[in-house]
Amino acid sequence: MKKALPPTYFLLVLVLVALLHFAFPLYRYWTFPMTLMGIVPLGLGVALNLIADRAFKLHETTVKPFEQSTSLVTDFPFSLSRNPMYLGLSLMLLGVALLLGTASALGPVLVFPYLMHRIFIRTEEQMLAAKFGPAWERYRSTVRRWI
């Protein structure tokens, strides 16, 4: 059986964010036009994912978790975060939650990075360590996992 990929988790959490906002709109911390500040993390998240995806393509390596990488990508945006795509997805979820403006929408956003770490990042980092050895260790010691 195939494992669900990060975009599936992203979509599930996005639906949960919307459901909680509309079904249980706990504590409205912002109203329009303040909610428009959510556009900033949403836009940053989209840009980060597009740039990271392009970097994978330029290095001709896989973007799919659990597939063997052919190259250790360390240039931008991987020079800022070892996981810019997961960071980008998290920022997009944060942006949507801020646009909605209720505390109930924020809960699932906080769980998403934890899920990515438990389900994907730990295994991916073990695979990179096995494949790239000292180069991975140097990279890991100089670039933070998230930001």
Side-chain angles (χ1 to χ4, degrees), residues 105-132:
L106 285 172
V109 173
L110 301 174
V111 173
F112 183 77
Y114 174 77
L115 287 174
M116 294 302 96
H117 176 75
R118 296 282 300 172
I119 299 168
F120 298 103
I121 294 171
R122 290 188 316 175
T123 302
E124 288 175 0
E125 290 193 344
Q126 290 170 355
M127 291 172 67
L128 291 168
K131 172 89 178 186
F132 299 107

Side-chain angles (χ1 to χ4, degrees), residues 63-103:
V63 69
K64 289 186 179 177
F66 311 124
E67 287 186 3
Q68 196 62 244
S69 296
T70 58
S71 176
L72 181 61
V73 182
T74 60
D75 47 348
F76 184 82
F78 293 90
S79 59
L80 301 176
S81 169
R82 294 198 314 259
N83 298 286
M85 296 187 93
Y86 297 130
L87 176 59
L89 292 173
S90 298
L91 285 170
M92 285 188 267
L93 290 169
L94 176 62
V96 170
L98 294 176
L99 284 167
L100 294 172
T102 59

Side-chain angles (χ1 to χ4, degrees), residues 8 18-19 24 28 31 42 44 47 56-57 60 69 74 77 92 94 98-99 104 107 118-120 127 130 137:
T8 303
L19 283 173
F24 306 102
R28 180 165 281 286
T31 57
L42 180 60
L44 286 172
F56 276 131
K57 287 184 172 122
E60 298 178 350
S69 296
T74 60
M92 285 188 267
L94 176 62
L98 294 176
L99 284 167
S104 51
R118 296 282 300 172
I119 299 168
F120 298 103
M127 291 172 67
E137 290 303 323

